[in-house]
Amino acid sequence: MSSPAPARPRPVHQAADLLAAYLPGSFYYSSARGSLLADGVYSPVLAVPGKRARAAAEVLDAALVAGVTEPVVAGAIGFRPDAPSSLVVPAVVRRAGPPKAGGPVAPLGGNWEVSPRPAPEVYTTAVAKALDEIRDGDLRKIVLARCLDVTGGDPIAVPRLLARLVHADPGAHAFAVDVSAPGDPAPRTLVGASPELLVSRRGRVVTANPLAGSRKRVADDAENARRIEDLLTSEKDRAEHAHVAAQVAEVLGRFCVDLDVPAEPEVIGTPTMWHLSTRISGRLADPGDAGSSALGLAEALHPTPAVCGVPTALARDTIAALEPEDRGYYAGLVGWTDQDGDGEWVVTIRCAEVRDRTVRLFAGAGVVAGSDPEAELAETGAKFGTMLRALGLEGAV
């Protein structure tokens, strides 16, 4: 009688080692939950929007049958319903604990040229038009975004940019995803450090943490305290946040029992911003259904009013009419899901697309009745701060 084969020990990796091992073309994701580095493509996940979760479940089942160890689906999905996605089952996956704050990372160089797209006055005009739509029609909230194209003298070192983001804020949801498309003249990487958890699943437990309503963070503690209090008491910001929290709770309520929705938001901070935050949690009614996987829940939630508006379809159409630049993967989602349906997906904000010598940064602001175009312009400028700081250009806007 033969003895059972001994169990192979699971490799033990350190978060810093995974970050150091990242190369362009890999998939990197880290948060307080842990770090994940994936390389190669075992299989792509091809499906029409809204059915990616079931396609992912089928591909994961096939990978298990084929002997792939602990497969995951990882990647990003763009903002619009017809937007591209980069979902794959990687060939190699390594995991580690959450990252820790590191020492200084070498700067990325100099001789930067910064070009706003659109020009600031074009953006404020678009906000004014959105306010007219809100006053005269059915639109209640819309998020309008703008870009900065930052071009350097040499190709951007994506691993160094990612390391600077992670070391600056280890608690953020940091990511780097290859989003190259056929015909791209150079590889394209989506890089960022999002503060906004779209949805996380562990077993039957589901968590979402929508953010809306923001203030810039400054170096003075007394001024920060004033800004936090102003944020908590602002009728405009609380109304904007309530739109987001209500819709997230309504969607998760279709899948969950025992849904916990705090009555009041709190304020959370990043190195550059303060945000109104509501942490919503629940227990899944049917965790075995593919639609209840982390990816399925993310698809159901996307796009939230935090990046689109209310009502969703009207806001999305108005965004297409008012924004001159295509969002691509900005305001989409990025993350991973495993064969049990567990995983974590975040909203792709505080991010940029890197291609050769150019970094295209994105930032948006929520427009509701009572918004001021110049204030929304300033808010987007503050939100560029995460990526500008990583590039060594803090204060450029």
Side-chain angles (χ1 to χ4, degrees):
M1 182 176 178
S2 61
S3 301
R8 299 179 64 182
R10 188 174 183 175
V12 177
H13 302 289
Q14 300 298 317
D17 295 335
L18 294 192
L19 181 59
Y22 168 80
L23 292 172
S26 301
F27 173 88
Y28 176 89
Y29 180 93
S30 65
S31 69
R33 182 167 176 169
S35 304
L36 187 152
L37 179 62
D39 291 290
V41 177
Y42 170 78
S43 179
V45 177
L46 304 175
V48 298
K51 297 185 178 180
R52 295 186 180 103
R54 299 195 182 279
E58 293 173 1
V59 174
L60 286 169
D61 287 344
L64 277 173
V65 171
V68 177
T69 304
E70 298 183 338
V72 302
V73 165
I77 299 173
F79 171 70
R80 291 191 61 82
D82 57 351
S85 69
S86 65
L87 301 180
V88 300
V89 174
V92 178
V93 175
R94 288 166 281 178
R95 298 175 183 265
K100 299 179 181 178
V105 179
L108 289 161
N111 301 317
W112 299 105
E113 179 182 326
V114 181
S115 302
R117 298 185 183 277
E121 61 272 19
V122 175
Y123 179 79
T124 54
T125 297
V127 173
K129 289 179 179 178
L131 287 168
D132 289 341
E133 295 278 351
I134 291 170
R135 184 186 64 247
D136 300 335
D138 296 326
L139 189 64
R140 301 200 300 279
K141 175 185 176 178
I142 183 172
V143 179
L144 290 180
R146 64 189 184 105
C147 308
L148 291 180
D149 280 353
V150 180
T151 304
D154 298 305
I156 309 301
V158 177
R160 197 183 306 164
L161 176 59
L162 175 64
R164 288 175 67 87
L165 287 167
V166 173
H167 289 165
D169 188 3
H173 304 88
F175 52 86
V177 191
D178 182 7
V179 292
S180 301
D184 280 347
R188 190 158 46 111
T189 306
L190 179 69
V191 186
S194 176
E196 185 162 4
L197 174 66
L198 180 63
V199 67
S200 172
R201 173 182 152 168
R202 290 189 181 188
R204 292 186 63 180
V205 178
V206 171
T207 305
N209 192 187
L211 309 179
S214 306
R215 294 289 185 277
K216 183 178 180 180
R217 187 169 188 160
V218 295
D220 182 77
D221 289 342
E223 176 60 17
N224 279 326
R226 190 196 69 77
R227 294 184 181 199
I228 290 171
E229 180 63 22
D230 181 56
L231 190 55
L232 284 169
T233 56
S234 165
E235 291 186 13
K236 178 260 183 188
D237 288 284
R238 288 177 67 94
E240 179 186 345
H241 184 82
H243 284 311
V244 182
Q247 183 164 317
V248 170
E250 189 276 325
V251 173
L252 290 183
R254 304 172 201 165
F255 299 89
C256 293
V257 294
D258 303 325
L259 196 66
D260 179 28
V261 184
E264 295 288 326
E266 59 181 0
V267 173
I268 65 170
T270 74
T272 59
M273 299 293 296
W274 300 107
H275 298 287
L276 286 178
S277 161
T278 297
R279 194 167 183 85
I280 299 169
S281 61
R283 289 178 58 81
L284 289 172
D286 184 7
D289 179 55
S292 294
S293 70
L295 177 55
L297 295 171
E299 280 193 290
L301 287 164
H302 176 63
T304 74
V307 292
C308 185
V310 180
T312 302
L314 178 58
R316 194 153 43 189
D317 289 344
T318 308
I319 287 168
L322 294 179
E323 289 184 6
E325 304 291 339
D326 188 291
R327 290 186 174 189
Y329 284 92
Y330 166 70
L333 49 147
V334 62
W336 59 273
T337 296
D338 66 17
Q339 72 273 18
D340 295 322
D342 290 354
E344 193 166 271
W345 293 84
V346 298
V347 183
T348 48
I349 55 176
R350 311 299 186 273
C351 65
E353 287 192 7
V354 181
R355 182 188 296 165
D356 193 34
R357 299 185 302 113
T358 299
V359 186
R360 171 163 285 190
L361 286 64
F362 300 88
V367 180
V368 295
S371 289
D372 174 71
E374 292 295 334
E376 304 307 335
L377 177 69
E379 180 175 323
T380 57
K383 288 175 177 176
F384 284 131
T386 297
M387 294 302 303
L388 289 173
R389 174 186 285 190
L391 290 165
L393 284 168
E394 190 172 14
V397 179

